[in-house]
Amino acid sequence: MHDFTYRNNELYAEGVPVRRIAEEFGTPLYIYSHNTLIRHFNAYRNAFNGQPHTICYALKANSNPAILRLLAQNGCGADVVSGGELALALRAGIPAKKIVYAGVGKREDEIARALKARILMFNIESADEMTAIHEIARALKVNAPVALRVNPDIDPKTHPYISTGLKESKFGIPIEEALEHYRLARQLPALNILGIHKHIGSQITTISPFVDALQKVIALSRQLQEQGIGIRYIDMGGGLGIPYNNEHPPHPRELSMAIMPLLEGCGFHLILEPGRSIVGNAGIFVTRVLYLKKHPQKEFVIVDGGMNDLLRPSLYNAYHNVLPLTRSRRKKVMADIVGPICESGDFLAMNREVNRLSRGDLLALMSAGAYGFTMSSNYNSRPRVAEVLVREKEFFLVRARETYRDLTRGARIPAFLK
Ligand SMILES: *Cc1c(COP(=O)(O)O)cnc(C)c1O
């Protein structure tokens, strides 16, 4: 569910015509709905009401500071995967005690910062990392709160690039080796073992992979208990899918109904790390038609937004629904909607049926709130686009469009070239 709907054939973001925002700030740009964000966050909170839990929003889906502040004010925690994300989460006012830190390649300086900030826990992904965290904690004379990220070898049946819980994945510790890793952790006195973490992938549209993975994790917690290693936190990661096209992913309530019985009486504090399912459908990407081009075999709609702004179609062959800002009865045509980047892989939608378009028409790519702006780049020396947050009848610029000046920020011309 989201708040981008037609009224009199005009696409609105909550109570504001999208066209008005596009005219004020130019295109391409991202637009987010405050209402949708709050509703999605509350859907999780209400679904897990009754089970002690913390929702640690995965910043990598969308780390716009205004969105982080909004989530922070509603009591949300954070799942971070870099020092940069840690800094953003703390600056947004997310308490360190609600921050978990995952990722296979944490640097020493990043680990030290997280220790000094006193985050809730590190989700450790290898024995080497465990040793590093231990050494850094010793040097800082603190204890490091940790969980081990285990890889339960579950197929989430999603795109291979966003599957993270299979045997051949670089993520986590194979579950059959988890016990020996926990034993190793126990021998490191500066480590405070708090939990078990798993995250099996993204855009998962059925319940069973979550249930299967959690069952394996609970079985592991029992084995650990027998070894005298008590577990307080079960971190079940994120990964719940959203409708992009005609998927019907489960609602957070269906997820909670399936997993809460498994946790009953165990006394665990549950951590959830949703990213996409909070922000995905809360955002759209708006772009303007520049040119139409007809080849004998194919029609192209060339727009001003490219793969550097919205990478998902190029990277994952992902589907985003394309809607005109003004609905028309014009004849339908099949076209590829492509960007201006000098790459054949630069497309936003392939073989899509759209109403015949003209130069200057505005289009919305739906469900672009997650892994949209955060994956954008300056490729082809294009300034990164603006982001706008809509709240009922008001809208706010939450990130200004970059300027050409930003393209040389930090660059230096060596003296011999001056
Ligand atoms: C990416 C990621 C998430 C969020 O995944 P979504 O599919 O966006 O919910 C959560 N936890 C970890 C460890 C991740 O890497």
Side-chain angles (χ1 to χ4, degrees), residues 58 60 79 102 149 197 199 201-203 238-240 273-276 371:
K60 75 178 194 284
D79 163 45
R149 175 173 182 174
H197 175 240
H199 170 73
S202 200
Q203 186 54 15
L240 193 61
E273 301 175 340
R276 188 191 310 271
Y371 307 103

Side-chain angles (χ1 to χ4, degrees), residues 3 14 32-40 70 282 389-392:
D3 293 81
E14 299 195 18
Y32 308 117
S33 156
H34 173 269
N35 209 356
T36 310
L37 287 164
I38 296 281
R39 195 172 50 247
H40 287 178
L70 182 157
L389 179 66
V390 178
R391 183 168 171 261
E392 294 176 4

Side-chain angles (χ1 to χ4, degrees), residues 4 12 43 52 77 118 168 226 268 273 282 288 402:
F4 300 96
Y12 274 65
R118 303 198 171 275
E168 56 270 29
E226 286 162 15
F268 295 127
E273 301 175 340
R288 189 179 286 276
E402 285 181 348

Side-chain angles (χ1 to χ4, degrees), residues 100 121 123 196-198 233-237 271-273:
V100 292
M121 63 188 192
N123 290 327
I196 307 175
H197 175 240
K198 63 105 184 142
Y233 294 97
I234 299 271
D235 184 339
M236 60 172 289
I271 295 175
L272 298 130
E273 301 175 340

Side-chain angles (χ1 to χ4, degrees), residues 206-217:
T206 55
I207 289 282
S208 61
F210 291 104
V211 170
D212 296 349
L214 188 62
Q215 274 168 334
K216 289 193 173 187
V217 164

